[in-house]
Amino acid sequence: MSDLERIYGLHAVEALLRHHPKRVKQIWLAEGRGDPRVQALLQLAGQAKVRVGQCERREMDAWVEGVHQGVIAEVSPSQVWGDAMLDELLDRTEEPPLLLVLDGVTDPHNLGACLRTADAAGALAVIIPKDKSATLNATVRKVACGAAEVMPLVAVTNLARTLEKLQQRGLWVVGTAGEAEQELYDQDLSGPTVLVMGAEGKGMRRLTREHCDFLVRLPMAGSVSSLNVSVATGVCLFEAQRQRRRGRPAS
């Protein structure tokens, strides 16, 4: 069916079955796959009453670009949230929110990795501009290893205006820039924070930079001058998580 997307990989398909089973219309397994991980997948599919078929692996190779692990799901189109979703998310949260903004990140592998890290670090949502940005597709879902099904991805029409609205709601906007004087570890990230990561090479756009309350840099001890955006995002998000955990009583 032309209106369906193909999502592949064990983690991505399992996450869909757990969190959005109604979106899954059909699952295809490579002939001969019957290991315990697939059995667990079949159990979830049975609970959701999703059809399961078998297919030759080489035929599945032609369906998608990437390592499908012998598991492909046909699903209804991906859900990307709009601007209004941010207000709803912020209204529901009780802890100081942590939002991740990706300004001009066009590589789906980087977007998938950032979604996975954002989920692991406890971010509330990932925000991207509608234009000149990667968006949800099969590659993003595969790299995200299930995080794309639980981490809200919000595509906004005007990123600068969105940052202004978030500032009006009491969030501090912290942008990353290699030339910034202040280091990441000297910045307070324990309060309501919007962390802005720019594209590799170009960094943040001018308007985005102008809407930042603070600019920080990662201290680089070696010979390289920068990190892959998904790696830098992980460093920044987990520093925010470290600061937030530091203020909590021991369990």
Side-chain angles (χ1 to χ4, degrees):
M1 297 175 64
S2 59
D3 60 335
L4 296 181
E5 294 181 353
R6 281 176 172 154
I7 305 302
Y8 57 91
L10 275 164
H11 288 294
V13 174
E14 180 182 352
L16 274 167
L17 286 171
R18 289 188 184 279
H19 300 286
H20 304 287
K22 292 183 179 180
R23 288 189 54 210
V24 185
K25 308 306 178 184
Q26 169 91 43
I27 291 176
W28 294 97
L29 299 177
E31 292 179 348
R33 278 224 67 165
D35 51 272
R37 295 178 70 187
V38 167
Q39 291 302 319
L41 200 71
L42 289 173
Q43 185 175 0
L44 288 172
Q47 293 171 356
K49 298 181 180 179
V50 174
R51 293 177 299 171
V52 178
Q54 288 193 328
C55 188
E56 290 187 6
R57 184 177 288 270
R58 60 183 177 182
E59 185 175 350
M60 297 174 75
D61 291 341
W63 288 356
V64 297
E65 294 182 4
V67 181
H68 52 71
Q69 300 175 298
V71 180
I72 296 177
E74 293 179 329
V75 306
S76 57
S78 304
Q79 177 69 60
V80 178
W81 300 100
D83 302 57
M85 180 63 174
L86 276 178
D87 287 326
E88 182 181 336
L89 286 170
L90 291 169
D91 289 340
R92 288 186 307 191
T93 187
E94 297 180 358
E95 298 184 357
L98 174 62
L99 297 171
L100 172 64
V101 170
L102 301 176
D103 185 24
V105 174
T106 57
D107 186 342
H109 294 85
N110 280 333
L111 176 57
C114 288
L115 285 169
R116 184 177 183 180
T117 303
D119 177 60
L124 187 64
V126 176
I127 303 170
I128 58 173
K130 284 185 177 178
D131 298 327
K132 297 180 180 179
S133 174
T135 190
L136 282 183
N137 60 21
T139 300
V140 172
R141 293 185 185 280
K142 177 66 166 59
V143 175
C145 290
E149 318 316 325
V150 294
M151 174 56 54
L153 181 64
V154 182
V156 299
T157 304
N158 188 313
L159 184 55
R161 186 161 57 229
T162 297
L163 293 177
E164 285 182 359
K165 290 181 179 178
L166 292 172
Q167 287 169 322
Q168 291 168 5
R169 293 199 56 144
L171 281 80
W172 295 99
V173 180
V174 180
T176 53
E179 71 279 7
E181 295 184 3
Q182 182 162 291
E183 291 188 357
L184 169 71
Y185 304 117
D186 297 325
Q187 175 65 43
D188 183 4
L189 303 172
S190 62
T193 302
V194 182
L195 178 65
V196 185
M197 308 297 299
E200 290 183 56
K202 297 180 180 179
M204 293 180 291
R205 291 174 295 178
R206 179 182 59 82
L207 271 178
T208 305
R209 178 188 294 261
E210 290 176 358
H211 283 82
C212 291
D213 297 302
F214 305 99
L215 291 177
V216 299
R217 62 179 173 84
L218 273 65
M220 305 295 291
S223 58
V224 297
S225 59
S226 64
L227 296 175
N228 173 278
V229 64
S230 63
V231 174
T233 296
V235 174
C236 294
L237 284 175
F238 275 94
E239 170 59 15
Q241 175 73 317
R242 184 192 68 83
Q243 292 185 20
R244 288 156 188 252
R245 290 176 63 90
R246 186 178 57 190
R248 299 176 188 169
S251 58

